Amino acid sequence: MHYTHDDIKNLDRVERLKIINSASGIKPANLIGTIDQEGRTNLAIFSSVVHLGSNPPLLGFIVRPTGEVPRHTYNNIQKNGSYTINHVHSEFIAQAHYTSAKFDDTVSEFERCNLTEEFIGNCKAPFVKESNFKMGMRFKEAIPIPLNGTTLVIGEIEHLILPKNAMNMGDIDLEATEAIGISGLNSYYALKKIESHPYARVPEVPTF
């Protein structure tokens, strides 16, 4: 099947969204936890979290255009400068998925979707207790993307919490953490480690 630029442009909006959202492959499933200035918690699923650098340890994620749709996650981060990123596991995929519903800001997705708030250390924002791999983040910068009105939100990792058995010779085994991936809007995948290779150096590249 071959879609041209015009084919993609003329697709039904939802069909186009599903296809293009899947085109980059399986993405990490994460719940981002925030809190507003009145102490009301918020939780939302994101598939756009991406590594931006290790020193300092930076992660980014994409916020869709604000417009008429309120973006509680982004608003809370801007006001409080703190948020959490929590891996999704198979035991609570359904709860995580339904945090994407457009709840009013007076409704906590933690309570509505039966997930547990957890406050750790000096992080103001709530973690997801059910997640075994989670990060406390400090907001650093927001970069507008004029092409489509989205925003790249950049944060620095201040807390990194994961199972001891996930560490293997300095590497994190995501299969051991039972991390889940997303494709499109509503398809979830288990991750399986297939193989591992050393850091690639030119003199050590095999003959294929």
Side-chain angles (χ1 to χ4, degrees), residues 165-206:
N165 69 337
M167 296 301 300
N168 182 13
M169 302 292 288
D171 291 328
I172 296 176
D173 184 344
L174 292 176
E175 183 180 356
T177 70
E178 299 182 346
I180 293 296
I182 300 179
S183 177
L185 298 179
N186 51 8
S187 296
Y188 295 84
Y189 295 81
L191 302 184
K192 180 175 178 60
K193 185 175 180 179
I194 298 172
E195 50 187 84
S196 182
H197 297 277
Y199 183 84
R201 294 178 173 83
V202 172
E204 299 170 3
V205 175

Side-chain angles (χ1 to χ4, degrees), residues 50-70:
V50 62
H51 162 82
L52 295 177
S54 300
N55 188 22
L58 300 177
L59 298 177
F61 71 95
I62 297 293
V63 174
R64 288 181 290 178
T66 51
E68 298 178 358
V69 179

Side-chain angles (χ1 to χ4, degrees), residues 87-131:
H87 285 201
V88 175
H89 308 304
S90 59
E91 296 82 2
F92 56 93
I93 289 174
Q95 293 107 301
H97 175 76
Y98 282 99
T99 64
S100 61
K102 295 177 177 63
F103 294 108
D104 186 81
D105 62 359
T106 60
V107 176
S108 172
E109 290 82 359
F110 278 97
E111 181 177 353
R112 182 62 183 83
C113 297
N114 195 29
L115 291 165
T116 311
E117 301 170 6
E118 183 179 34
F119 291 90
I120 299 174
N122 61 354
C123 186
K124 293 180 181 179
F127 293 85
V128 176
K129 187 173 184 179
E130 287 80 1
S131 176

Side-chain angles (χ1 to χ4, degrees), residues 32-34 61 77 82-85 123 125 135-137 139 153-155:
I32 294 185
T34 61
F61 71 95
I77 290 172
S82 181
Y83 58 104
T84 69
I85 298 176
C123 186
M135 293 159 281
M137 306 295 298
F139 173 65
V153 178
I154 300 174

Side-chain angles (χ1 to χ4, degrees), residues 2-17:
H2 180 175
Y3 290 94
T4 66
H5 177 271
D6 288 339
D7 292 334
I8 295 169
K9 185 177 179 180
N10 293 324
L11 286 170
D12 170 78
R13 185 186 70 86
V14 174
E15 185 180 5
R16 181 174 61 246
L17 197 159

